[in-house]
Amino acid sequence: MAHRRPVWISVAEMKLYYIYSEWCSWLHSQAEDEIMHQDIVPLCAADIQEQLKKRFAYLSGGRGQDGSPVITFPDYPAFSEIPDKEFQNVMTYLTSIPSLQDAGIGFILVIDRRQDKWTSVKASVLRIAASFPANLQLVLVLRPTGFFQRTLSDIAFKFNRDDFKMKVPVMMLGSVPELHGYIDKSQLTEDLGGTLDYCHSRWLCHRTAIESFALMVKQTAQMLQTFGTELAETELPNDVQSTSLVLSVHTEKKAKAKEDLQLALKEGNSILESLREPLAESTSHSVNQDQLDNQATVQRLLAQLNETEAAFDEFWAKHQQKLEQCLQLRHFEQGFREVKTTLDSMSQKIAAFTDVGNSLAHVQHLLKDLTSFEEKSSVAVDRARALSLEGQQLIENKHYAVDSIHPKCEELQHLCDHFASEITRRRALLSKSLELHSLLEMSMKWCDEGIFLLASQPVDKCQSQDGAEAALQEIEKFLETGAENKIQELNKIYKEYECILNQDLLEHVQKVFQKQESTEEMFHRRQASLKKLAAKQMRPVQPVAPRPEALTKSPSPSPGSWRSSENSSSEGSALRRGPYRRAKSEMSETRQGRSSSTGDEEENLAILRRHVMNELLDTERAYVEELLCVLEGYAAEMDNPLMAHLISTGLQNKKSILFGNMEEIYHFHNRIFLRELESCIDCPELVGRCFLERMEEFQIYEKYCQNKPRSESLWRQCSDCPFFQECQKKLDHKLSLDSYLLKPVQRITKYQLLLKEMLKYSKNCEGAEDLQEALSSILGILKAVNDSMHLIAITGYDGNLSDLGKLLMQGSFSVWTDHKKGHTKVKELARFKPMQRHLFLHEKAVLFCKKREENGEGYEKAPSYSYKQSLNMTAVGITENVKGDAKKFEIWYNAREEVYIIQAPTPEIKAAWVNEIRKVLTSQLQACREASQHRALEQSHSLPLPAQSSTSPTKGSTRNVKKLEDRKTDPLSLEGYVSSSLPKPPEKGKGWSKTSHSLEAPEEDGGWSSAEELINSSDAEEDGGVGSKKLAPGKYTVVMGDEKEGPDTLAMRSGDMVEVVEEGAEGLWYVRDLTSSKEGWVPASSLSTLLGKSISAQCLSSSDSSPGSAVLSNSSSCSEGCPTPFSELQG
């Protein structure tokens, strides 16, 4: 929220507000006091209108001799039936109408009972005397006129006088004339024999209207006072938009207040006109005192309304002026900020514009740029000056914020003057530079022309006296021009142009002066030689010429071109650059410049590295603070008993779901990682080591991201909970909790961007390799997090996914199946109709799932995966290439009993999957070898292990562990494991040779084929077991390369042909390489009988596989007891 300035209200405004407020208060009190004088809540005619209409008592307006108000009780037969409450209300109302002064004298009651009975008279008098709420002066009773009743009343009054003992006298009158003795006829109504004009309905209408008007005046006064207070307490906004809004709102409210005032005045004038109407109709009409009081009351209220309106108008005019001036000030301040920013930017540019040029053309270009810059800047300068004049105008108009406007006007004027002076100073410096470069160019041109003159003088003509004299005259004439074109005094140049002489320009002046001296020296030598010739010496004198190669060259057409990099390769320009020592000096300077440039580049890279490191540290600290804020402001508050009533039922006991392991992430960053990053602040390029050393700890983000869908779902259900709103209010957060719950996900993705930036500026630094490795590791973690988000969406899997090992890859593929078992039609159908499957490759199994899109929002919209089947990696083999499609590869299971043709979206994805599967199978083989070697060390002799025959495709063939342990482990070059030593009984109906040892399937009709069978002789298989490989004469092919281990071991490569010489112990054969004729021992398991070339791709290696590759079949298990394959769910 923008800070508002305090209320700015002047003394004059305070006076106006005080006067206006007093008027409103007085008007409010008059609206009450002028009409009603009760101490209690006043009654209004409208409230008891029906009771007044009964006319059992009325206030005619008549007065007694001393001005006492007269209340008349006319003959009313049902007087005794009037309820006490009604009677009391009417009495209270009637006694409240006269002024306090008149009411203080006391009321005269005229009770007309001429047509009544004595009993009623007595009851009426007693009731009136007992309930009258005001002072009484006299009670006049007109007794019954009938003879009997009159006689009875006289007797009864005498005998019952004590019953009428009151504080005022009660007079029993027998006739109306007797009444006139107490009250003048002009103050009595016609029914009492008087001349006073009184209409009860008209009186009631006037009273209702007057009281309604008084209430309107009261409400208007309250409204005006409230509005005036609001205006007086209004704070001045700080921006143009808010000030305009306040002015608009107040103007609308002022119009509404004026409308209410006009309505009240109109109503008052209408009532006053109605009160004066009888007098207007008849000039002889007499007006009683109550009517006069009513007119005076309305007139006073109207006058007070008019005066209050005048005070309001005056107060509003001041307030409106203040708001309009505030709006002017805000416009001025906004313009000031914009102009100041522009002028500051321009001043920074002109301050950074320090180049004085390195040649005449360069200086001319700089002057042109300066002029252009000045022209573009003139718009901002003119605006600044206009704004300053606008501020001065506001001051002259007596603006309330003179103290704020005046300094800004002075600052604007100062900025404009400063900018103008900087432009002037800059132009003066460039003019000086232009003048100096002109001198230097003239000197250079003079030197070049002199050298050309010396070179153009023919040597043969100078041998004669006339020729020598002519050449001497040319030289002397040329030397006379040096006074105008040469640099006369170097110290004078230094002093005159000291303000622009930087190091480069100083060196340039010195070089030009040196060239000038060299040229003059050449002229002096030529002059001396020519003088000797002119003296007719006998022997010819060889003139001293400048550089011989310059004899055929012309002067430089462009002054100063010897310093121009664009003409540095020009032959003509090079020949005009003076003696060789100057060229050598320039070459040295170039090398120094390159070295300086390299140093500057390294310094720039170091600055950039520090910048990236600072950003990493700043964002890391902010991240830690945000995590702490969430944990303390939200998570901890969920356990606060004082906040329990705000937590909804669906949110209770769900803290671990909502926040996941955020606390673990916070402690890691706060206690460990942030401190390690801070230790690298002086060596930013070494920050990669911090990431590498803590790469395992970063796995906690995988757990957080896996929980994120549950957290997101819970948040959507409970985001309206008052608990979150209260916590957000306490923390003064602009964003809700869900934005902060996303911070860990955003942070883990931010690291790789920062590492990329750091690596970009650290290519040749010590920690570049660590940075590259850290970047790869972070990207790997991001991939693992992404994979895990897919992994948790798997449904229908009965086991524990964590038992399958680390998730290596996941992706969607088209899958064909081709199984040996099953109906032929099913096989043919499956071959042509692919299934869309999402594969999850784990260390121990590969899962086949069906992707299902879900409806919903956010994380709920993510797909789910229905589990279909899984393959144990201990019984899996692959064929890398499938004929006809570079995107296909095979995964086969249990000796190709089940074959899955996988088509990847792109060849690159296929290659990545094949490589990853190869790594898994290679690591299994490595584990097998290590286990075999470990067991071999424990055995006392190296005999083949007993073999168990097995015909179950789910268990696999028996392994020859002895042969495995004889092999040399080389996981970098191995791509598979040969299957010839691991025979498996052929399946019925497939036509396999009984001696077949390869588990590769023969080529079938479906258009894809595996490698041709590789058959080796083995007698052990017929006995149901697998023993050591037996020697068979003939030639063999190396199917698995092996490095040379000992002096008698033969180094081999895959594909080499060898001839067996003799069989050794422990599965070793002594062979001869048919290519190199070398001999040595090799593992028998590395050889395969040579039958012919493969007609298709090999398993796990293409036909162009690298040396050392081999065939890895599905029987390459690492132990004898292969786990039972995972359950297979087709579909």
Side-chain angles (χ1 to χ4, degrees):
M1 177 184 291
H3 174 68
R4 287 191 173 185
R5 299 188 179 185
V7 179
W8 185 292
I9 184 165
S10 64
V11 175
E13 287 179 295
M14 286 297 296
K15 282 184 178 180
L16 282 176
Y17 172 67
Y18 177 75
I19 294 171
Y20 168 69
S21 180
E22 286 295 315
W23 272 112
C24 291
S25 299
W26 188 59
L27 180 63
H28 180 272
S29 63
Q30 287 298 312
E32 288 185 341
D33 298 341
E34 287 288 352
I35 304 302
M36 295 298 176
H37 306 291
Q38 301 100 313
D39 295 332
I40 59 175
V41 178
L43 287 172
C44 296
D47 299 334
I48 56 173
Q49 187 172 6
E50 294 300 324
Q51 302 168 24
L52 292 172
K53 282 182 179 180
K54 293 180 179 181
R55 198 172 174 268
F56 60 82
Y58 61 86
L59 189 68
S60 62
R63 292 289 188 273
Q65 295 176 358
D66 56 357
S68 301
V70 178
I71 296 179
T72 304
F73 290 86
D75 187 23
Y76 191 80
F79 185 79
S80 60
E81 298 175 1
I82 297 172
D84 292 339
K85 182 66 176 176
E86 291 185 10
F87 180 79
Q88 188 67 38
N89 287 341
V90 171
M91 291 296 102
T92 302
Y93 178 73
L94 292 178
T95 55
S96 68
I97 293 175
S99 65
L100 294 175
Q101 182 179 358
D102 292 346
I105 299 173
F107 287 86
I108 298 176
L109 303 184
V110 178
I111 304 173
D112 184 6
R113 290 296 180 264
R114 288 175 291 175
Q115 304 299 325
D116 210 342
K117 298 178 180 179
W118 166 248
T119 54
S120 298
V121 172
K122 178 182 178 181
S124 298
V125 172
L126 292 175
R127 184 178 187 183
I128 293 171
S131 303
F132 197 76
N135 295 331
L136 281 173
Q137 186 182 27
L138 181 64
V139 178
L140 302 174
V141 181
L142 287 174
R143 60 187 177 183
T145 56
F147 175 76
F148 176 75
Q149 293 297 330
R150 183 175 57 185
T151 304
L152 182 62
S153 62
D154 289 340
I155 298 171
F157 183 71
K158 291 178 181 178
F159 286 99
N160 296 289
R161 186 179 295 275
D162 293 339
D163 294 340
F164 296 100
K165 285 183 178 179
M166 302 172 67
K167 294 180 180 180
V168 294
V170 177
M171 305 301 296
M172 286 292 179
L173 305 178
S175 64
V176 171
E178 291 182 28
L179 177 63
H180 294 166
Y182 292 93
I183 301 175
D184 190 80
K185 292 173 61 176
S186 62
Q187 301 300 317
L188 294 173
T189 57
E190 292 179 357
D191 56 344
L192 295 176
T195 60
L196 183 63
D197 181 26
Y198 175 75
C199 177
H200 188 67
S201 60
R202 184 177 61 193
W203 175 86
L204 185 59
C205 180
H206 284 170
R207 290 304 305 173
T208 304
I210 292 171
E211 290 171 3
S212 175
F213 174 60
L215 182 61
M216 179 184 291
V217 171
K218 175 183 176 181
Q219 293 173 346
T220 303
Q222 289 176 338
M223 179 271 296
L224 290 175
Q225 190 167 22
T226 302
F227 182 47
T229 303
E230 179 185 349
L231 296 184
E233 294 179 353
T234 299
E235 295 185 3
L236 302 180
N238 279 339
D239 57 276
V240 173
Q241 185 177 0
S242 300
T243 307
S244 300
L245 181 61
V246 170
L247 181 59
S248 175
V249 171
H250 284 189
T251 303
E252 291 179 4
K253 289 184 177 181
K254 178 256 182 183
K256 180 66 170 58
K258 287 286 289 183
E259 183 180 345
D260 292 344
L261 265 173
Q262 294 299 323
L263 189 63
L265 287 169
K266 182 178 179 182
E267 180 70 16
N269 287 321
S270 175
I271 294 172
L272 186 60
E273 186 177 341
S274 176
L275 292 174
R276 291 173 176 174
E277 185 177 349
L279 187 61
E281 293 177 355
S282 175
T283 54
S284 61
H285 179 77
S286 61
V287 181
N288 59 47
Q289 187 62 41
D290 283 353
Q291 291 174 334
L292 291 175
D293 289 345
N294 288 341
Q295 291 182 21
T297 297
V298 174
Q299 287 173 345
R300 277 196 300 271
L301 289 175
L302 286 173
Q304 290 161 7
L305 272 177
N306 286 322
E307 291 172 352
T308 303
E309 183 183 19
F312 172 73
D313 289 341
E314 187 177 0
F315 178 69
W316 165 255
K318 273 291 182 182
H319 179 75
Q320 185 181 28
Q321 181 186 16
K322 181 180 72 173
L323 284 181
E324 288 176 348
Q325 287 182 348
C326 178
L327 185 60
Q328 294 171 349
L329 178 63
R330 299 298 174 252
H331 279 295
F332 175 77
E333 289 175 341
Q334 181 177 335
F336 172 78
R337 288 192 295 269
E338 293 173 356
V339 169
K340 185 176 184 304
T341 301
T342 304
L343 290 177
D344 287 343
S345 175
M346 289 160 44
S347 297
Q348 290 176 0
K349 289 181 180 178
I350 198 68
F353 194 28
T354 57
D355 194 359
V356 293
N358 54 20
S359 66
L360 183 63
H362 188 199
V363 176
Q364 291 171 343
H365 180 72
L366 290 177
L367 279 169
K368 184 178 180 182
D369 288 346
L370 181 64
T371 303
S372 176
F373 178 73
E374 185 180 14
E375 290 175 356
K376 293 178 180 178
S377 304
S378 62
V379 177
V381 174
D382 293 343
R383 184 185 175 191
R385 296 191 185 278
L387 191 63
S388 178
L389 292 176
E390 181 182 334
Q392 294 295 338
Q393 188 66 37
L394 291 177
I395 295 174
E396 292 176 4
N397 293 337
K398 298 181 179 180
H399 195 282
Y400 70 86
V402 173
D403 294 341
S404 175
I405 298 173
H406 186 67
K408 290 182 173 61
C409 292
E410 290 185 345
E411 186 174 359
L412 286 174
Q413 193 64 39
H414 171 72
L415 288 173
C416 292
D417 294 343
H418 175 71
F419 179 76
S421 64
E422 283 296 309
I423 290 288
T424 303
R425 185 183 68 84
R426 181 67 189 153
R427 180 174 281 106
L429 291 177
L430 289 177
S431 299
K432 275 286 185 182
S433 179
L434 184 68
E435 182 180 333
L436 176 59
H437 279 286
S438 298
L439 289 177
L440 296 176
E441 290 287 346
M442 289 171 61
S443 176
M444 290 287 295
K445 184 178 181 181
W446 183 80
C447 292
D448 291 339
E449 290 176 352
I451 293 172
F452 177 74
L453 174 63
L454 294 177
S456 61
Q457 286 182 339
V459 179
D460 53 346
K461 292 183 179 180
C462 293
Q463 299 296 326
S464 63
Q465 183 179 6
D466 294 339
E469 289 179 352
L472 189 60
Q473 289 178 359
E474 286 181 350
I475 290 174
E476 290 174 351
K477 185 177 180 181
F478 179 79
L479 288 176
E480 290 176 359
T481 62
E484 300 175 357
N485 299 319
K486 289 193 310 180
I487 299 175
Q488 300 298 333
E489 297 181 16
L490 198 58
N491 290 332
K492 185 178 179 181
I493 294 291
Y494 289 162
K495 184 176 181 180
E496 185 176 354
Y497 298 100
E498 181 181 3
C499 57
I500 61 170
L501 281 178
N502 53 34
Q503 186 64 32
D504 292 339
L505 191 54
L506 183 63
E507 293 178 357
H508 183 33
V509 171
Q510 292 172 348
K511 291 174 183 177
V512 172
F513 190 74
Q514 289 174 3
K515 182 176 182 179
Q516 181 179 295
E517 288 183 333
S518 300
T519 304
E520 288 178 336
E521 184 181 352
M522 286 190 291
F523 269 92
H524 292 324
R525 287 199 301 267
R526 175 67 64 88
Q527 198 175 23
S529 300
L530 291 175
K531 284 181 178 179
K532 292 180 181 179
L533 290 174
K536 296 183 179 181
Q537 295 182 4
M538 296 302 296
R539 58 185 183 84
V541 177
Q542 176 66 36
V544 178
R547 297 172 61 186
E549 57 269 28
L551 296 178
T552 59
K553 302 303 176 183
S554 61
S556 171
S558 176
S561 61
W562 65 279
R563 298 187 71 244
S564 174
S565 60
E566 297 178 358
N567 298 327
S568 61
S569 60
S570 171
E571 182 181 0
S573 175
L575 293 176
R576 291 189 299 272
R577 291 192 179 183
Y580 170 74
R581 64 169 182 242
R582 182 173 158 275
K584 184 176 180 180
S585 174
E586 289 182 356
M587 291 175 64
S588 175
E589 291 170 7
T590 302
R591 287 194 295 269
Q592 292 176 2
R594 291 177 181 174
S595 175
S596 175
S597 176
T598 304
D600 292 342
E601 184 178 357
E602 281 300 320
E603 184 177 353
N604 291 338
L605 289 175
I607 293 173
L608 292 171
R609 286 195 296 271
R610 286 195 295 272
H611 175 72
V612 176
M613 190 65 200
N614 289 337
E615 182 181 357
L616 175 59
L617 281 172
D618 291 343
T619 54
E620 185 71 15
R621 294 186 184 109
Y623 174 54
V624 170
E625 286 296 325
E626 287 171 343
L627 292 182
L628 179 62
C629 192
V630 171
L631 291 173
E632 291 183 347
Y634 286 97
E637 289 297 309
M638 291 186 73
D639 299 328
N640 186 355
L642 299 178
M643 301 284 285
H645 66 285
L646 298 176
I647 300 177
S648 61
T649 306
L651 191 60
Q652 292 178 356
N653 302 321
K654 299 289 181 62
K655 184 169 77 171
S656 60
I657 295 177
L658 186 62
F659 298 98
N661 63 329
M662 181 181 283
E663 185 174 358
E664 183 183 6
I665 293 175
Y666 165 72
H667 287 313
F668 163 63
H669 285 271
N670 184 49
R671 298 173 181 174
I672 301 174
F673 194 60
L674 177 58
R675 298 179 182 179
E676 293 183 355
L677 289 180
E678 289 173 342
S679 67
C680 295
I681 191 169
D682 295 328
C683 301
E685 62 274 8
L686 303 181
V687 75
R689 297 176 185 175
C690 295
F691 285 89
L692 291 177
E693 291 173 358
R694 298 299 172 187
M695 204 52 65
E696 290 186 7
E697 282 88 340
F698 276 107
Q699 302 296 331
I700 57 180
Y701 279 92
E702 186 172 340
K703 180 179 177 182
Y704 185 85
C705 293
Q706 287 177 350
N707 179 71
K708 196 68 177 71
R710 298 174 64 201
S711 173
E712 184 82 6
S713 178
L714 180 61
W715 168 256
R716 279 196 300 273
Q717 296 172 17
C718 306
S719 58
D720 296 333
C721 180
F723 170 77
F724 294 125
Q725 298 171 7
E726 182 65 22
C727 291
Q728 184 176 350
K729 183 179 179 181
K730 286 183 179 179
L731 294 171
D732 195 23
H733 281 178
K734 295 182 180 179
L735 300 176
S736 54
L737 175 61
D738 59 327
S739 300
Y740 291 92
L741 292 177
L742 197 60
K743 293 291 183 181
V745 181
Q746 295 171 337
R747 186 58 182 170
I748 191 64
T749 57
K750 176 74 172 178
Y751 285 130
Q752 54 104 2
L753 300 177
L754 293 170
L755 285 173
K756 284 180 181 176
E757 284 296 304
M758 185 65 77
L759 183 61
K760 178 181 177 182
Y761 306 131
S762 310
K763 292 294 184 183
N764 301 322
C765 295
E766 178 185 351
E769 294 182 2
D770 289 340
L771 284 170
Q772 183 62 58
E773 188 177 351
L775 176 59
S776 301
S777 300
I778 285 291
L779 292 174
I781 287 177
L782 292 177
K783 177 182 177 299
V785 169
N786 181 59
D787 290 345
S788 67
M789 299 300 291
H790 290 272
L791 191 62
I792 62 176
I794 296 177
T795 60
Y797 183 73
D798 294 334
N800 189 350
L801 291 173
S802 61
D803 295 339
L804 304 181
K806 182 181 178 182
L807 177 63
L808 304 175
M809 301 190 78
Q810 53 84 24
S812 295
F813 300 89
S814 297
V815 179
W816 289 263
T817 60
D818 190 6
H819 302 339
K820 292 182 180 179
K821 58 184 179 179
H823 199 273
T824 306
K825 290 184 178 180
V826 177
K827 291 170 56 180
E828 295 296 330
L829 178 64
R831 183 178 299 173
F832 293 102
K833 184 179 180 181
M835 298 176 292
Q836 298 303 317
R837 291 290 181 263
H838 201 89
L839 273 60
F840 294 87
L841 177 62
H842 292 260
E843 291 176 324
K844 298 181 181 179
V846 56
L847 271 60
F848 289 75
C849 299
K850 186 173 183 179
K851 186 176 182 180
R852 301 184 187 279
E853 295 290 344
E854 299 289 345
N855 296 324
E857 298 179 359
Y859 285 97
E860 291 184 355
K861 198 173 182 181
S864 64
Y865 304 98
S866 298
Y867 168 76
K868 293 300 179 183
Q869 64 190 109
S870 58
L871 305 179
N872 194 337
M873 291 303 293
T874 58
V876 162
I878 64 168
T879 301
E880 182 175 343
N881 293 324
V882 175
K883 272 199 308 187
D885 195 337
K887 296 184 289 185
K888 288 181 180 179
F889 65 96
E890 290 181 358
I891 297 179
W892 37 271
Y893 192 66
N894 280 346
R896 301 189 67 88
E897 191 171 279
E898 301 173 16
V899 178
Y900 301 89
I901 305 175
I902 313 297
Q903 184 182 45
T906 63
E908 291 77 14
I909 295 178
K910 169 207 164 179
W913 273 73
V914 168
N915 289 336
E916 199 62 42
I917 295 174
R918 184 187 296 123
K919 291 178 182 177
V920 174
L921 299 180
T922 303
S923 64
Q924 290 180 355
L925 177 60
Q926 175 72 12
C928 258
R929 288 180 172 176
E930 292 176 355
S932 298
Q933 291 173 359
H934 180 69
R935 285 195 295 272
L937 294 175
E938 296 177 352
Q939 294 175 351
S940 59
H941 54 84
S942 300
L943 294 177
L945 295 175
Q948 299 293 332
S949 62
S950 174
T951 58
S952 173
T954 62
K955 293 183 179 179
S957 302
T958 307
R959 280 71 174 169
N960 190 335
V961 182
K962 183 61 181 176
K963 292 182 180 180
L964 288 172
E965 70 184 32
D966 290 339
R967 294 187 185 176
K968 183 175 183 243
T969 303
D970 187 7
L972 296 177
S973 62
L974 280 175
E975 296 184 27
Y977 176 56
V978 68
S979 62
S980 60
S981 63
L982 301 173
K984 181 176 179 66
E987 193 175 64
K988 294 180 180 180
K990 298 301 288 185
W992 283 29
S993 171
K994 193 171 185 179
T995 58
S996 174
H997 299 280
S998 173
L999 297 180
E1000 297 176 357
E1003 186 175 354
E1004 295 183 8
D1005 300 330
W1008 55 274
S1009 64
S1010 61
E1012 193 175 2
E1013 294 182 8
L1014 302 176
I1015 304 176
N1016 289 326
S1017 174
S1018 177
D1019 298 329
E1021 187 180 6
E1022 297 180 2
D1023 298 332
V1026 180
S1028 300
K1029 192 169 185 179
K1030 300 298 180 180
L1031 176 63
K1035 297 179 181 179
Y1036 287 78
T1037 302
V1038 177
V1039 295
M1040 183 174 66
D1042 205 349
E1043 296 293 335
K1044 187 171 182 179
E1045 186 177 15
D1048 298 328
T1049 304
L1050 182 63
M1052 304 181 302
R1053 294 187 306 172
S1054 179
D1056 290 348
M1057 289 190 294
V1058 297
E1059 183 178 14
V1060 178
V1061 178
E1062 63 176 289
E1063 181 180 8
E1066 299 181 356
L1068 296 177
W1069 287 355
Y1070 194 82
V1071 300
R1072 178 186 298 109
D1073 191 335
L1074 297 178
T1075 302
S1076 62
S1077 300
K1078 295 181 179 179
E1079 295 181 352
W1081 294 98
V1082 297
S1085 58
S1086 300
L1087 306 179
S1088 178
T1089 305
L1090 181 60
L1091 294 180
K1093 295 182 179 179
S1094 174
I1095 62 173
S1096 65
Q1098 290 182 333
C1099 302
L1100 195 58
S1101 65
S1102 60
S1103 58
D1104 57 347
S1105 59
S1106 61
S1109 64
V1111 180
L1112 178 59
S1113 74
N1114 63 330
S1115 59
S1116 60
S1117 303
C1118 305
S1119 63
E1120 295 182 15
C1122 174
T1124 304
F1126 290 78
S1127 59
E1128 300 173 2
L1129 300 175
Q1130 300 297 331

